[in-house]
Amino acid sequence: MENQEEANTGQHSIKWGIILGLISIIITLVIYLIDITLLVKSVVPLISLVISIAIIIYAGRDYRSKLGGYMSFKEAFLHAFVVFVVAGFLGVLFNILLFNVIDPDIVPILVETQMTNTMQAMETFGGGSPEMMDGMAQGIKDGYTVMGQLKGFLWVLILYAIAAAIVGAINKKKNKEEEF
């Protein structure tokens, strides 16, 4: 029975990861069509994160109901983490295609926008040297390469684990009758 539940956890979380990944891709495409520089504004990723967490909470509750209304923290955490990873991986694949195949001409625009935002923030704290700014610009540009996207995905796995722990805590529900 436990293996059956684990298989169902995998299937359910992969399904919801694909759904969330496709939603993320659609959001990115809409932003691309409206104004690509919105991708590097701090509010858009924050809104996207809130939407993602809401979808993952919903997916976790859906899975919990399929389990009979109860789910351990471990099951809730693993479910949420797999959804995050699948959705994130699909998003990274799309971003690699967008920034390196579909429209590589947008990378300098995004780098310039990020540098402008960074310089405005740094002016508040006293500014930075030209060498530091050049290095930062190159680092931002490298982040849009295939390797940069893949490295970024590896770092974001840590954030996914933290978010999955939060979602897991929200979605877990113990069966009081089975505790004794």
Side-chain angles (χ1 to χ4, degrees):
M1 179 77 175
E2 194 170 303
N3 289 338
Q4 180 68 23
E5 285 181 12
E6 287 176 342
N8 290 340
T9 301
Q11 291 172 351
H12 193 271
S13 55
I14 289 170
K15 175 185 103 174
W16 278 98
I18 291 169
I19 290 169
L20 181 58
L22 292 175
I23 290 170
S24 172
I25 289 168
I26 290 168
I27 290 170
T28 301
L29 279 173
V30 169
I31 291 170
Y32 173 77
L33 294 172
I34 293 172
D35 179 6
I36 193 66
T37 62
L38 291 174
L39 283 176
V40 294
K41 304 283 184 189
S42 59
V43 133
V44 172
L46 185 61
I47 291 169
S48 185
L49 178 65
V50 169
I51 291 169
S52 295
I53 289 175
I55 290 171
I56 293 173
I57 289 171
Y58 176 81
R61 298 228 168 137
D62 178 59
Y63 183 62
R64 185 177 72 193
S65 72
K66 290 181 185 336
L67 292 177
Y70 302 102
M71 184 165 51
S72 70
F73 173 77
K74 176 184 172 185
E75 290 170 314
F77 170 80
L78 288 174
H79 183 272
F81 187 69
V82 171
V83 174
F84 271 119
V85 170
V86 170
F89 185 72
L90 291 175
V92 165
L93 288 179
F94 177 75
N95 286 342
I96 288 170
L97 284 173
L98 179 62
F99 300 137
N100 295 283
V101 177
I102 297 170
D103 193 357
D105 295 336
I106 62 172
V107 171
I109 296 166
L110 294 174
V111 170
E112 181 64 32
T113 303
Q114 281 184 278
M115 286 302 297
T116 300
N117 294 344
T118 303
M119 287 170 41
Q120 288 172 348
M122 290 184 81
E123 285 175 4
T124 306
F125 300 107
S129 69
E131 296 83 22
M132 184 177 89
M133 298 309 272
D134 289 342
M136 195 177 301
Q138 186 59 46
I140 292 170
K141 185 178 178 188
D142 291 345
Y144 290 102
T145 65
V146 173
M147 281 308 292
Q149 291 284 314
L150 294 175
K151 285 179 186 176
F153 179 71
L154 292 176
W155 280 107
V156 93
L157 288 175
I158 297 167
L159 297 175
Y160 289 161
I162 294 167
I166 294 167
V167 171
I170 292 169
N171 282 339
K172 74 176 172 62
K173 185 173 181 184
K174 291 183 180 180
N175 185 346
K176 303 283 185 201
E177 295 173 10
E178 291 181 7
E179 285 186 6
F180 299 104

